[in-house]
Every structure is written in structure tokens, then in C-alpha cells.
Amino acid sequence: MVVGVVSSKGLGNALQYSVASFLLSREMPNAEITLALPELSSAKFCIIDRVKVLPGLEDQSSILRFIRRNSASEEKLSVRGGFQRVSNIRHIVWERYSTSEIAVQYLRPWLCRLYNRGRYSGGAVGGHTIEHAAFISYLVNYNCARAVVDGPLVTFPISASWIGLERRRRWWKLLRKSLNKLDVIFVRGRFSREILSRFVEEGRLYTALDSGFGVRFLFNKPIGSVDKSKVIVGIVPRRDYFEFYGLHELYQEYLRVLKVVVEGLVERYGVEVVLIAHSVGSDELAIAGLLKMLSKRVRKAVRVATPRSVADSVHVISSCDFLITSRMHAGVIALAYGKPAVFFMPRGDVKVRDVLLHLGLEEELYLIDAFNPKEYGNLWPVVVRITETILQESRVISHAVNRRLEEVKLPVRVLRRLLEEEGLL
């Protein structure tokens, strides 16, 4: 079983789950593979031969869904001697029980076993970053995965956001219990390893290249083709980071900095700029906000791309000569195909630092802290450097990625070895 932990409506999760399923199907040709995909009806992922798709484990273990399936009436239920609408009861159940420690550790795993009516020989949890917004979802998925997997349970490379963990401090004890139900945890790099070593026995932690680089195995060659008569620069803006942490004024400054970069690229270098929506919704609003700031003359040199699938995203990103991104996996796709990427993201959300360090790329050359306005002035000089040395930068990136690319397969190969040792494969 491949366990998706959060919705794959955005490119990053869709890409990681697609790569995980693809590699398992290729490395274990005789195994039956199931992908548990959260919010299945709205998911974006690649259809992989021989991979059965089910709703995600959190959806399978939903207490509200269980009540809905087993209540005799959708209209009324008796609660505390009175009658209330089922919608009100669902709200009470969710608030008081669905996110409680008892539900996460015991009730939801039990419901998950009921849903599956069987157990899996082995499991792999898809790559993700343990952060604030979906924190409870991670705990639910770790516990539910252990409930339905009899044999070894590993992860594809994950990260831990320190700024997210700080806001969930009261859940640290349960995080520790939940993580230690996994047999092998792959991390994206040193920074996450240092954070997670506070919660997990060191012997369970290993490092591997982020599974997003496996896009090279899904699509061996870039889908897009670049018109070499003009440099194409992709920009992937993001709004929800700032909303999560209440940084509304900083977000406006962030957009103003991107405006300066777009204008400089168009007016000084005559490049074509593509604004790319990595995740439908938030990113489209960020693009709209940025476009409003641009003059009509500059706007004519800018186009907007809204990919609707992993393949669409790869097509658009691989058509760019380099990328400025506030979404990590957009940058991972660019790097995978030897295209330079500048990450305009919070430094405290260490996943990009993990990836850059693991590839041997200098953090100062490719990362601007989106949560530190003192670093905003560094973005344009970095963009200028890459624009003026793009062929040299591409050679450096290609060498760094090719040296590590086979590591993407490590979680699958470790899972296969553990299954063979236990006589399950």
C-alpha cells in the first residue's frame, strides 16, 4: 500500500504519490499495489498500470462518514435527551472526538481496518512535510497505516518544518508515538534529520533524494520544448504561506518584489515570463495580485499557465529556462531536468534547505527567505546572475542531480528487502 497523507490537488503531493506508485509497480512487478489517495474525487495524479486507487486512510476512518453510513435517519438523532440536526451532531463529533488522542491512536485505526477488511503485507507513506496546517492528518495516517499494514512500513523522503512544529507543541508526545510506529523513515536531508531525531530513534532515520526527482523516471525526457530564440523564465507565486501565519503586510511586499523582478527581466533582458499556478486556488489568486501590479506594457510579455495535471505541470516547467518559485516541487521538477531554480520560500520550512544541501548546492545561491524582508533585496541579484550564466548554471545543476538520482529508488528497494527478509514477497 502507498499511503497519501494529504490531498493531491496540488502538484507536489500529486507528483510524489505518482512517483511512489510508479517505482513500486516497476520494482515489485508481482505485487498487488494499492494507492490510498486523500480527497480522491479532486485528486491530480498519474494513472499507473497495476495500481488500484482507494480513498485516503483519513477518509476511510472518518467518524462522520461512519455515522452517516450507520445512522438510520439522516434527519435526527437523539443527543443528551434532545434532538438536533445531524449536521450539528457531526460538528460536535468532529470537534470533540475526531481530533482527540483516543481517536487518532485507536478509534480511527479501528475504523480503517473495518473499511479495508484485510491487511497489507507492506506499506510506504508518500513524501510530505510535517507542518502546522495538516498536522493531525499526518498523525491519523501514520496510525491508520500501521493498523492495516502487517509487515514493514517505510516512508518516502519527508521533512519537518520547525516553524510548523512549534505551533503544535502540545501534540509532540503523540507525534513521537506515531512516528515510532514506522519502521524506516527517509528524510530529504540533514536539517529534517536533526529535527526528527528528537522524536524518532536515530536508527530509523535515513536520507534519500526527494521522490519528486523521480519525475525523470515517469517522463524520461522533458515534455516541453524551449524556443531558444528567447529565454523563458517561470515564476510560481504563493499566497497561502502568508495566510497561515497572518503575514498579510509581508505578502504585499513579497508581491512588490516579484513585480520588480518581472519588470527587470522583461525590460532589461527581453525574456518571456510565465506565471504558473502550481496549486489551483491560492496560487491563481497570487498570480492575479501580481498581474494587477504590472504595467500594461510589461503585462504583454507575460503569460499565465494553469496546469491541470502532473503532465501539464512538467510540460510547462520543463519549457522554462529557469524558475523562480515559492513551491518546492515546481523547483524540484526544474532541477530534475537541469534547469536552475531560485526558491523564494521560508527558510524555517527546511525542506528546500534539505534538498539543496543533499545535492551539494549552496543555499545562499538558490534560496531567498520569503519570511525575512531583509533578504528580499537579494532576489534580483540572484536572478541576474542566473540569467547571465544560464548555461553554466544548468551544467552545475545537471551534474548535482545526476549524481544522486538513483537514490529516489532507495525507499522502494529497502521495502522490497524487508519484505523478502520476512518472507512476504
Side-chain angles (χ1 to χ4, degrees):
M1 168 176 273
V2 179
V3 179
V5 293
V6 288
S7 169
S8 62
K9 289 186 288 188
L11 169 63
N13 295 320
L15 175 61
Q16 291 178 98
Y17 304 158
S18 298
V19 169
S21 302
F22 176 81
L23 291 178
L24 283 165
S25 69
R26 293 300 180 271
E27 295 285 324
M28 303 182 193
N30 298 320
E32 294 181 6
I33 298 167
T34 298
L35 170 61
L37 203 58
E39 299 181 33
L40 182 57
S41 61
S42 58
K44 294 197 301 184
F45 64 100
C46 294
I47 304 299
I48 309 297
D49 292 341
R50 297 179 42 248
V51 175
K52 178 182 177 182
V53 181
L54 292 177
L57 298 186
E58 190 172 13
D59 300 324
Q60 294 177 22
S61 66
S62 167
I63 297 172
L64 303 184
R65 182 172 296 175
F66 181 79
I67 291 174
R68 202 160 49 235
R69 286 199 305 261
N70 292 278
S71 62
S73 168
E74 279 290 318
E75 291 300 316
K76 295 181 179 180
L77 287 175
S78 176
V79 176
R80 294 182 183 177
F83 288 93
Q84 295 184 14
R85 300 287 297 180
V86 168
S87 59
N88 293 336
I89 294 172
R90 289 176 185 164
H91 176 75
I92 293 169
V93 169
W94 172 255
E95 289 295 327
R96 295 188 181 179
Y97 303 111
S98 270
T99 60
S100 71
E101 293 190 24
I102 292 175
V104 170
Q105 289 191 88
Y106 305 109
L107 181 54
R108 296 191 73 137
W110 176 74
L111 291 172
C112 215
R113 283 197 296 270
L114 285 181
Y115 184 97
N116 283 273
R117 297 184 181 180
R119 304 293 281 271
Y120 294 88
S121 301
V125 178
H128 57 280
T129 298
I130 303 173
E131 43 81 32
H132 166 67
F135 191 86
I136 304 301
S137 294
Y138 307 133
L139 303 184
V140 169
N141 277 282
Y142 301 154
N143 284 275
C144 287
R146 184 72 282 170
V148 299
V149 173
D150 282 331
L153 183 58
V154 308
T155 74
F156 281 84
I158 69 174
S159 292
S161 167
W162 191 245
I163 55 178
L165 283 174
E166 280 290 343
R167 298 186 69 177
R168 293 289 189 172
R169 184 176 285 270
R170 78 178 185 90
W171 290 92
W172 280 12
K173 183 177 180 180
L174 185 55
L175 174 63
R176 184 175 290 106
K177 288 181 181 179
S178 302
L179 282 171
N180 280 286
K181 292 182 179 180
L182 308 173
D183 297 300
V184 176
I185 299 173
F186 281 94
V187 295
R188 294 179 176 125
R190 189 189 78 193
F191 298 104
S192 288
R193 184 167 185 152
E194 289 174 355
I195 292 171
L196 289 177
S197 64
R198 303 183 181 200
F199 302 94
V200 183
E201 301 166 5
E202 181 65 27
R204 296 175 187 262
L205 296 172
Y206 298 85
T207 304
L209 189 63
D210 179 80
S211 53
F213 287 91
V215 68
R216 286 268 297 275
F217 302 119
L218 276 176
F219 308 108
N220 192 32
K221 296 180 180 179
I223 298 174
S225 58
V226 178
D227 176 5
K228 293 301 179 183
S229 65
K230 178 175 283 191
V231 172
I232 302 175
V233 178
I235 298 180
V236 184
R238 182 173 185 176
R239 191 176 83 163
D240 60 3
Y241 255 147
F242 299 89
E243 291 178 334
F244 286 153
Y245 296 98
L247 301 173
H248 304 293
E249 292 183 7
L250 186 59
Y251 173 66
Q252 294 304 316
E253 182 62 26
Y254 161 88
L255 288 181
R256 282 191 287 271
V257 170
L258 288 179
K259 168 185 175 286
V260 170
V261 169
V262 173
E263 290 175 344
L265 286 169
V266 172
E267 294 173 348
R268 179 171 172 178
Y269 295 103
V271 308
E272 178 183 347
V273 174
V274 184
L275 302 182
I276 306 168
H278 170 99
S279 181
V280 177
S282 170
D283 294 359
E284 291 175 313
L285 292 172
I287 288 173
L290 179 56
L291 285 172
K292 286 181 181 179
M293 293 183 172
L294 300 176
S295 67
K296 290 182 179 179
R297 181 169 52 82
V298 170
R299 214 177 301 163
K300 290 179 180 178
V302 176
R303 61 184 173 92
V304 176
T306 306
R308 299 293 173 176
S309 68
V310 173
D312 286 348
S313 295
V314 175
H315 176 93
V316 172
I317 293 169
S318 63
S319 296
C320 299
D321 290 284
F322 81 91
L323 200 70
I324 303 164
T325 178
S326 295
R327 294 277 187 177
M328 187 181 83
H329 280 97
V332 164
I333 291 175
L335 295 176
Y337 290 114
K339 310 294 180 75
V342 179
F343 295 89
F344 194 10
M345 298 177 62
R347 197 179 296 273
D349 190 6
V350 299
K351 56 189 176 184
V352 173
R353 301 178 70 198
D354 281 335
V355 170
L356 291 175
L357 180 63
H358 194 61
L359 288 173
L361 299 173
E362 293 184 43
E363 183 180 316
E364 292 74 16
L365 299 180
Y366 301 99
L367 174 63
I368 305 296
D369 189 351
F371 280 8
N372 182 4
K374 293 181 180 179
E375 291 195 20
Y376 280 18
N378 298 336
L379 180 60
W380 176 242
V382 168
V383 170
V384 168
R385 187 198 81 241
I386 292 176
T387 304
E388 295 180 352
T389 61
I390 196 162
L391 293 179
Q392 180 183 345
E393 287 285 345
S394 294
R395 285 193 291 269
V396 170
I397 297 295
S398 295
H399 175 73
V401 171
N402 290 336
R403 188 168 56 93
R404 292 282 194 184
L405 189 60
E406 284 297 308
E407 286 185 12
V408 172
K409 300 176 182 178
L410 269 177
V412 175
R413 290 176 175 171
V414 167
L415 177 60
R416 184 179 64 188
R417 177 176 59 79
L418 292 173
L419 287 166
E420 289 172 344
E421 288 176 356
E422 296 186 21
L424 297 171
L425 186 65

